[in-house]
Amino acid sequence: MLKIAVPNKGSLSEVSIKLIKEAGYKCRRDGRELTLTDVDNNVEFYFLRPRDIAIYVAKGIMDVGITGKDLVADSEAAVVELLSLGIGKSRFFYAVPKESELTPDEFDGVRIATSYPNIVKSDMQRRGLTSEIIKLDGAVEISVKLGVADVIADVVESGKTLVAAGLRTVGEPIMKSEAAVFCRNRELLNRREVGLFIERLRGIIVAREYKMIEYDVLEESLERACGLTPGIESPTVSPLSKKGWIAVKAMISRKQVNSVMDDLTELGAKGIIVTDIHTCRL
């Protein structure tokens, strides 16, 4: 069976499991199960700490794993990325006391507290600086107030926790991260279960970027209408029983839905309907 590692807790776990279920796999946890078997798809799911997943994959214990790119980078595990999932997005910043004027290029000799020591070490080397990196497993923000560190490096979402700790971000993000699918080597894509898993996930991800639009338009306005809704290859066009009218159906970018509807309305289109697409293969 194909062994797939999935984050065992937190927001990354929730969005990953949701995506996998939408792709047609049985990945529902009723409690704190560590493993689940989907017999129909010949897959075993293992729920592991997100930070450990890349290591299990690199050692060949797991065939495939879903985890954050930042965690993979910090683990320094020898894995390859198969597919970015567009979920679990985050940014990794340095943060200093709000009254400090230090910038990252001035961190030579400072103490940096972080849960991602290898990412920070790599960034300091890139900048040609030497600093003391203090590894903490959590609650990094409080380390400055406790006198353990001068600066922190951590994942930042809303920034409210930093503000509460009297800190502010400084400089550009060290890195931007999101969840992705990883494996030991790309040759695994030749394995049917792996290729199918990737294609199913890709279908869900692509579908989330598009919607299906359907409308009726006068034949004389068809060319301009198709220019507004070109679809992936081309729109589907069918004549209506009402003479001079054409039915059109096409995929459009989710971000453009309202503006396209506005333009079609101005063109005289009728019966404009937009629906969600749950999955697709392009």
Side-chain angles (χ1 to χ4, degrees), residues 1 24-27 36-45:
M1 280 193 168
Y25 293 90
K26 297 174 183 177
C27 191
L36 284 176
T37 301
D38 182 346
V39 177
D40 292 340
N41 289 296
N42 199 35
V43 173
E44 286 182 318
F45 293 103

Side-chain angles (χ1 to χ4, degrees), residues 21-78:
K21 288 168 63 179
E22 287 181 16
Y25 293 90
K26 297 174 183 177
C27 191
R28 178 182 176 182
R29 298 174 78 191
D30 295 320
R32 303 175 70 87
E33 299 98 325
L34 297 179
T35 65
L36 284 176
T37 301
D38 182 346
V39 177
D40 292 340
N41 289 296
N42 199 35
V43 173
E44 286 182 318
F45 293 103
Y46 290 78
F47 300 93
L48 307 173
R49 290 180 68 238
R51 186 173 288 276
D52 297 336
I53 286 176
I55 297 172
Y56 282 113
V57 172
K59 291 182 177 295
I61 298 169
M62 293 287 113
D63 298 310
V64 174
I66 295 177
T67 191
K69 294 182 181 183
D70 53 347
L71 296 173
V72 171
D74 195 62
S75 73
E76 298 185 330

